Amino acid sequence: MLRLIKYGCVLAVLMVLLGSEIASPRAEAQFVRPVDVVPPDDDIGEGYKTPAVQRPLPREAWWNLVDVASLSAALVLSTWIVLGRRSRYWLVALTVACLAYFGFYRQGCVCPIGAIQNVTLSLADSTYVLPVVVIVFFLLPLVFALLFGRVFCGGVCPLGAIQDLVVLQPVDVPRRWDKRLGILKYVYLVVAIWYAAGALMGIEAPGGREFIICRFDPFVGFFRFTGSAGVLIFGGVLLVLGIFIGRPYCRYLCPYGALLAILSRFAWRGVSITPDKELDCGLCTEACPLGAIEKNRAVLSSCLFCARCFDWCPRDKTNRAQCQEGDVRARAETVES
Amino acid sequence: MHDLRFRWIASGAVMLAAQVATADDWPQFRGPNRDAISQETGLLRQWPEAGPKVLWSVEVCEGYAAPVVHTGRVYFNDYDRKSRTWFVRCAALEDGKALWRFSDKKRIRANHGITRTVPAVDGKYVFSLDPKCVFHCLDAATGEELWRKSLVKEYGSTIPAWYAGQCPLVEPDRVVIATGGRAVLVALDKATGSEIWKTPNPDKLAMSHVSVMPAVIGGVKQYLYNTLKGPLGVAADDGRVLWHFPWKFNVAVPVSPVVIGDDRVFLTSCYEADTVMIRVRREGDTFSAEKVFSLSPSDWNSETHTPVVYKDHMFGVGKKRRGLFTCLDFDGKQVWTSKGKASFGLGSYLLADGMFYVLEGATGMLRLLEANTSEYKELASAQLLDGHDVWAPLALSDGKLLIRDMTKLVCVEVGQGK
Amino acid sequence: MKKQPTRRDVLGHVVRGTGLLVLGGAAVHLVRRANAEGAWWIDPTKCVNIRLGATGVEVCDLCATDCVLPLSAIRAVNEFSECGRCCICPAYYDVRSEVGPDGLPSRKLCPRDAITREAIGEVDPEDPLNNFYEYTIDEDKCNGCGACVMGCKEPAGLGSIRLEVRYDVCLDCNRCTIAQVCPDDAIVQKAIDLPGA
């Protein structure tokens, strides 16, 4: 059943992506000055030359490069830290760095979550111009998801980061509820696409085109230290809730998370908790605040690359702290009993 | 209205006194009586499809300087940017042929136009104030300069922003001009330019764009002038200040005082200043002025042109809604406007034969309106000029209407023709 | 010892391959269309402050108050080549303030004193009120409140000052907060050609 809903959503997304392109050239009224009695330069005299006006050029291109490079580097680092280094410590460092740059410095824009709407709108309305940087932000994390899983969620996404830092007293969400709530994000994805396109399959979005993901982005208000009261409260509630329920927005609401979840299902080299020898001690399941470990194995579509499991894993401790294998066994047995 | 004219004639203030003036002349700013009303009759009430016949047209420099007409001759101020020369030009009313041209080399940079003053002619002399406030007296027959006065040098005048805008007032025995600086107004001998009197200026009033208006109030002939600090009345015989009404105007005052009846004066201006109607009372030898009512700019104001008084009403282009032609009663109530019919921007207007000739400031469209106090009624319209900034006053003489835009002066037959 | 690939592995490869192809295709498709930079832009024919003909109406200062940035990304920009260089500039001076002995209004219009001016060209000492001035807007002070834009309107003003988005500051939010409140829907997404792109 859940699967059906998920794939239905994917199908809908594909239909929009490959679907109609409505070309509507927009007629622009000309700006006409009332008169032309400007004194010419030679009338002003003394060799005066009218200076050029500073034209408001878009952000310099190298800034776009910085953004793209930061994103790429963060994705690569996140992959390496989680899959190679298996280090929670370094991942937290990366998380904080990305929160600082993509969150507070870039104030939550540009972000792949919102980019869903830009991409949709660009496909629905050919007059809408989609900046290349948005395309890259939209696609790169998807490619990483297909290769490694939800790398972006782990160390890169500022929305994930702010939630990840408040996970203090995680409690288990009953699996049934976890799954049911998880469907919300697919619904949100479809609704967001519906609104961004303005109309889906001939049905107009009530209230007209709207970037609802950005409008109801719960954390961007914190990055900007301003926002509408309702959304700020929503963000605050999510953060408080996030103390007990690990990353609620990522797991249940994030529409981009929905896309990533689908793709990471087919990840080529995903997180595996014990790649060579398996203790099956279950400490990892206990460590995971996201309910992403089932039967001592990571569920790739839910795993948010937070690396907590590695931090708890006695095997990794063996490597790093040179613990005696006996101690590990003993601990494992304690847990099992 | 007619009473007023007779009173002026009786007081000897009007051009009729000049030697060769005829009823058809338009010898100064706003015509023979300085009220923008022509006495001509028999003018066309309908125009052919293509508009009234254009008799001739001459090129002029950008500006708002209107022509005057005296005994079949047209006089107007002009400038040539290439040779940097200021002109007073004289041409035949009949065919526009140039008769003479007075030139004076000077550098005047276009500042929202260059020329904006109208000469005054009495048949013998032509008086003209150039943009830099040099006052010229020319021989009307030849254009030879008889004398000149730099108001800046002689009176410490400050050249107004956008240059001089006032048009001299010719009286039978003198010419009156406002100076600001060391005097408010001065009366000069026409032949020599020597000073007959000057109005002391303790309040340091500056020259505005207002033209001095003659009036008889309380039986005393006086000259009315308006400044940024409000209007004043000056005795015609010795130039002393009879009354002053403090009122705050903003940036500039281009609209001349409008005399209503024998004791009221209507003052309106631009830049969101309040419009005011005052009553001037005479008690013995002293005059005093008091407010009758005032209008905020959201009620009504005129930005550049002086309203016309006719049939116990005032007519003029208001600022609101890009220039609604409005009929106001003497209480400031709007009787009708051209709302929904036409907008005139800062266009000018004159009254003749019961009709208003009104120019659309933005487009140059000329509209002929019936001068009534009941409704806006358009009789005819014609596109004879090109926009923009068709802000110059009009002149009418011998059935010929003179109008101009930023590039040309056009003479149009609006009478029966000959 | 090499493991035989299971059916599941093969299926995974196929799906991944297809997925990457789709993403690559989407990238090519999108990039091909993205030949310009999309950005928020103020339509001068709509904005009440800029729109000619909208005179005698209240200045709209939502650009200054509603940007997510502490100092709005919108600035007033004086197009020098269209500026009348007036001495008594109705965008520089508060034309309603009392005129001083120098013939100039006594107060300035800009609430943040962001406009400076300098006499240019020939200066006639006998005619100080008809000198030409260059009006420059201090980008660090201006917050796009639009007062000067509204001041520079017909008939006296030439409409040379307009509100423009400063892209070096603008965050290019997907959901521009000013666009949300703009009563004239004047803030729209527009393709802006990148020089040299």
Side-chain angles (χ1 to χ4, degrees), chain B residues 148-171:
Chain B
R148 72 161 70 185
K149 253 185 196 317
S150 163
L151 302 185
V152 175
K153 291 205 172 75
E154 297 211 12
Y155 293 101
S157 305
T158 305
I159 301 169
W162 308 288
Y163 302 123
Q166 81 167 307
C167 312
L169 170 68
V170 184
E171 294 279 50

Side-chain angles (χ1 to χ4, degrees), chain B residues 109 112 160 162 248 250 322, chain C residues 95-96 122 127 130 154 156:
Chain B
R109 303 180 297 181
H112 282 258
W162 308 288
K248 177 177 156 282
N250 301 329
R322 318 184 96 184
Chain C
V95 295
R96 278 167 288 197
E122 276 174 37
D127 188 4
N130 287 296
E154 81 270 42

Side-chain angles (χ1 to χ4, degrees), chain A residues 145-193:
Chain A
L146 211 48
L147 295 175
F148 306 108
R150 299 173 69 168
V151 183
F152 176 75
C153 307
V156 190
C157 179
L159 303 188
I162 197 169
Q163 293 175 84
D164 204 72
L165 297 178
V166 299
V167 181
L168 299 172
Q169 290 291 324
V171 294
D172 273 340
V173 179
R175 199 145 297 273
R176 257 175 46 199
W177 279 104
D178 191 46
K179 290 224 145 127
R180 281 178 189 169
L181 286 170
I183 299 170
L184 276 178
K185 59 179 179 280
Y186 297 97
V187 177
Y188 192 11
L189 174 65
V190 173
V191 173
I193 286 171

